[in-house]
Amino acid sequence: MLVTIPEVFTKDEVRSIRDLLDRANWDDGRKTAGAQSQSVKANQQLPATGETAQKLGQMILNRLGETPLFLSAALPLRFLPPMFNKYEVGETFGVHVDNAIRVNPHTAERLRTDLSMTIFFSEPDEYDGGVLEVEHHYGTQEVKLPAGDMVLYPSTSLHQVTPVTRGARVSSFFWLQSMVRSDQQRSILFDLDQTIQTLAMQSGVEDPQVVRLTGIYHNMIREWSEV
């Protein structure tokens, strides 16, 4: 399941975030690549333990905790701290799959990566190329969103960022472990939750069918969650 979440940050907030990112010192992105990814990765990253990355990362996590569409789709249990990357002309990240287990650089806690996420901080017209391509059973989906928008997709997916040919693509990327491991089960729960919310707006939260469906939703989470 690939889900896009619009306007996680407003345009004014994006400008403030970009001001910090544009003044930051960037490292070679290959420093954090695994053995398979290192040969196909050519980009820049902020040091994960640096002041800018930690400040902006906490801002992102705070905002996502207030974003109902994200919470519905992800059912988050634990996050890895958001990281930040930049692709300039000629830089790319070829086809790869994210590591199944990653380590929190601040706590050394191990986390299973169920969902991968990207928040865009460059407008689409600021750069050419730099498209996130995510492969799934039904083909390849291309993602290039407005600044402030977010995409989340299963970490099991093969994906790549195509070469940038003009400008710079700046974004945040990170992972989470969901309360529900299965992408198929998360998709079912997401569809059910969105249907409940639509019915509640039409008929009211006290409508008997809304109450019944809400009970079914929570009982399914009890059955499938690992909490």
Side-chain angles (χ1 to χ4, degrees):
M1 176 179 68
L2 185 152
V3 178
T4 59
I5 301 175
E7 298 180 348
V8 174
F9 291 101
T10 67
K11 298 305 182 185
D12 286 341
E13 290 171 329
V14 167
R15 281 190 286 271
S16 296
I17 292 168
R18 274 297 299 274
D19 181 60
L20 289 173
L21 292 174
D22 289 344
R23 291 189 283 111
N25 295 318
W26 296 80
D27 282 345
D28 187 333
R30 287 173 293 186
K31 289 184 177 181
T32 61
Q36 185 272 331
S37 297
Q38 197 164 40
S39 63
V40 297
K41 185 177 184 180
N43 66 3
Q44 303 165 59
Q45 288 181 197
L46 287 189
T49 56
E51 180 180 353
T52 299
Q54 292 190 63
K55 176 181 178 179
L56 295 179
Q58 190 58 55
M59 183 187 304
I60 288 171
L61 295 182
N62 291 343
R63 179 58 52 84
L64 293 181
E66 303 168 349
T67 306
L69 183 60
F70 166 78
L71 297 173
S72 177
L75 297 173
L77 178 61
R78 288 191 288 272
F79 290 88
L80 279 162
M83 302 172 70
F84 299 84
N85 58 19
K86 176 166 63 173
Y87 294 81
E88 294 184 309
V89 174
E91 294 183 324
T92 183
F93 198 163
V95 177
H96 64 285
V97 65
D98 293 332
N99 292 344
I101 304 295
R102 298 190 69 96
V103 178
N104 188 316
H106 306 303
T107 66
E109 176 190 29
R110 286 180 170 81
L111 179 150
R112 186 186 69 237
T113 56
D114 294 326
L115 286 167
S116 302
M117 293 157 284
T118 298
I119 301 179
F120 292 79
F121 292 119
S122 297
E123 296 291 357
D125 61 4
E126 291 183 50
Y127 61 100
D128 294 331
V131 177
L132 173 63
E133 295 184 347
V134 182
E135 298 182 17
H136 51 76
H137 296 300
Y138 305 105
T140 299
Q141 189 156 354
E142 297 184 347
V143 183
K144 189 174 182 179
L145 301 178
D149 288 14
M150 174 182 181
V151 61
L152 64 157
Y153 56 94
S155 299
T156 52
S157 304
L158 286 171
H159 58 283
Q160 68 173 326
V161 176
T162 63
V164 170
T165 59
R166 178 187 64 87
R169 175 193 191 270
V170 181
S171 65
S172 176
F173 67 101
F174 52 114
W175 299 269
L176 67 79
Q177 180 173 333
S178 177
M179 291 185 287
V180 176
R181 180 194 299 251
S182 164
D183 180 59
Q184 182 179 17
Q185 291 172 348
R186 284 196 308 272
S187 296
I188 293 170
L189 288 166
F190 178 63
D191 288 343
L192 178 57
D193 186 42
Q194 295 303 296
T195 300
I196 292 169
Q197 292 186 42
T198 299
L199 290 174
M201 287 189 293
Q202 295 172 349
S203 305
V205 295
E206 297 180 356
D207 180 271
Q209 299 307 313
V210 172
V211 173
R212 175 182 286 273
L213 285 174
T214 301
I216 293 171
Y217 172 79
H218 285 286
N219 287 333
M220 291 171 71
I221 290 181
R222 287 189 183 94
E223 182 68 23
W224 288 341
S225 71
E226 299 180 354
V227 179

